[in-house]
Amino acid sequence: MELLITYDVNTTTPEGERRLRQVAKICEGIGHRVQKSVFEVVCTPSQRLHLEARLQATIDASRDSVRVYHLDRGTFGGAKHLGAAVDAAHHDPLII
Amino acid sequence: MELLITYDVNTTTPEGERRLRQVAKICEGIGHRVQKSVFEVVCTPSQRLHLEARLQATIDASRDSVRVYHLDRGTFGGAKHLGAAVDAAHHDPLII
């Protein structure tokens, strides 16, 4: 299945910065980063469950937001890109 | 048609901050904000062309990135949301 993951993590605290790095790291482990907070993921249904569980356990549900769109096969290829080529990461180091 | 618009605007300069506000304002005019830089849009093909042209004219193509995913009808409704309820805007005022 193809998923598009988008996230907003509240980084007004050092703890938030840490969560942001963790969420990014989790997504990097399974997906292809197309923007700072947007990943394209091709995975199995069970991988999806595992991914969502890890993200849920990482975020602060009162401050952060993750959205998971289940796309039809081929949607990634048809995405239109305007502007700069993909500049992968957040500015922070992603090693945690 | 249903579109998902995601964007990264480079805000390291005041000019970038201005572009960010403009991109947000354009998207707010036609879509529903679900994260700071993610909008769900229901529009006609001609509205899509107009939207993409406005975004293209607004961004700095060497620094900013906009992605437009054309989704199948119903994909929005099936999106899974983890965490905080939608907290609409960027922190900056959006009036330009």
Side-chain angles (χ1 to χ4, degrees), chain B residues 26-84:
Chain B
I26 290 168
C27 292
E28 286 176 328
I30 193 168
H32 170 64
R33 184 176 231 146
V34 292
Q35 285 179 341
K36 286 194 181 65
S37 302
V38 181
F39 282 79
E40 294 178 351
V41 175
V42 179
C43 66
T44 65
S46 75
Q47 285 176 315
R48 176 188 179 164
L49 289 177
H50 183 63
L51 172 64
E52 289 178 354
R54 289 186 70 195
L55 291 170
Q56 186 80 69
T58 301
I59 63 173
D60 177 337
S62 67
R63 295 162 175 262
D64 309 329
S65 147
V66 174
R67 291 182 71 82
V68 182
Y69 292 88
H70 180 190
L71 306 184
D72 273 12
R73 198 169 290 276
T75 304
F76 291 159
K80 180 150 186 179
H81 186 85
L82 310 177

Side-chain angles (χ1 to χ4, degrees), chain A residues 4 6-8 12 34-38 40 48 52 55-56 59-72 75-76 78-87 91, chain B residues 4 6-8 12 34-38 40 48 52 55-56 59-72 75-76 78-87 91:
Chain A
L4 190 74
T6 67
Y7 56 81
D8 266 347
T12 53
V34 292
Q35 285 179 341
K36 285 195 181 64
S37 302
V38 181
E40 294 178 350
R48 175 188 180 164
E52 289 178 353
L55 290 170
Q56 186 81 69
I59 63 173
D60 177 337
S62 68
R63 294 163 176 260
D64 309 328
S65 147
V66 174
R67 289 181 72 82
V68 182
Y69 292 88
H70 179 190
L71 306 184
D72 272 12
T75 304
F76 291 159
K80 181 151 187 179
H81 187 85
L82 309 177
V86 178
D87 161 21
H91 294 295
Chain B
L4 191 74
T6 67
Y7 54 82
D8 266 347
T12 53
V34 292
Q35 285 179 341
K36 286 194 181 65
S37 302
V38 181
E40 294 178 351
R48 176 188 179 164
E52 289 178 354
L55 291 170
Q56 186 80 69
I59 63 173
D60 177 337
S62 67
R63 295 162 175 262
D64 309 329
S65 147
V66 174
R67 291 182 71 82
V68 182
Y69 292 88
H70 180 190
L71 306 184
D72 273 12
T75 304
F76 291 159
K80 180 150 186 179
H81 186 85
L82 310 177
V86 178
D87 161 21
H91 293 296

